[in-house]
Amino acid sequence: LRDNCQCPHCFLRSARARSLLLTELDVDTGVDRVLLTEPTKVSVIWPDQHISEFDADWLKKRCFSPSARQKQQMELFLNDRHYWGSELQIPTASFEEVLTDDKAAYAWLAALRRVGIVYLKGAPVEQGQVARLSERIGYLRLTFYGHTWQVQDKADANNVAYTSGKLSLHTDYPALH
């Protein structure tokens, strides 16, 4: 809590930034006293007698009790997952709708998170479509392959992506940056 103090000594309002240096914090500090100063304000008095005032709702949103953490996880993360079996029905979405409609994009991303795979139908065959889709939801990361990889048929291929054969479901070096 000490590093979240908003008093003038710890926080520069004009910059909306912490002015207290993390190196100045005593990570082993305790709390000297806690006072309810207003119906919705809590004051923490530290051993060095510094006073930090917090809004009760702000503190409640940052509660680390097991039940509060579970509630926050349910709000922040999509915990509904579908495990694959022989009955798997792969969800589908329209490529163009995902690109142009926020609700369709959200439904696509939610299905992707829940099931792990979604067929996007109707994508143009021109180069650059993977980049269009990626930029709809984020940014492209430059790798040693470039921003994207062009799958094409080449004679004497040194990679299966350069053959006319089918590629199995895979990810290419997902943890490599």
Side-chain angles (χ1 to χ4, degrees), residues 30-49:
V31 172
D32 190 30
R33 285 177 288 160
V34 176
L35 305 169
L36 187 62
T37 53
E38 294 177 29
T40 62
K41 299 287 182 188
V42 177
S43 289
V44 177
I45 303 170
W46 304 98
D48 64 0
Q49 299 309 294

Side-chain angles (χ1 to χ4, degrees), residues 82-90:
H82 180 86
Y83 296 97
W84 294 5
S86 60
E87 76 289 346
L88 176 65
Q89 297 289 315
I90 297 175

Side-chain angles (χ1 to χ4, degrees), residues 5-20:
C5 182
Q6 304 285 300
C7 81
H9 173 75
C10 299
F11 191 80
L12 182 60
R13 294 223 184 278
S14 61
R16 300 179 71 183
R18 176 190 302 135
S19 56
L20 174 70

Side-chain angles (χ1 to χ4, degrees), residues 117-163:
I117 186 170
V118 177
Y119 283 136
L120 281 176
K121 303 222 176 206
V125 295
E126 295 89 38
Q127 212 172 325
Q129 301 311 304
V130 169
R132 279 182 67 207
L133 180 65
S134 299
E135 290 167 346
R136 171 71 164 108
I137 60 166
Y139 62 92
L140 293 172
R141 177 179 283 166
L142 183 62
T143 70
F144 55 81
Y145 291 120
H147 282 104
T148 62
W149 174 271
Q150 186 61 37
V151 177
Q152 54 189 324
D153 190 18
K154 288 184 178 180
D156 297 320
N158 64 350
N159 187 307
V160 293
Y162 286 143
T163 69

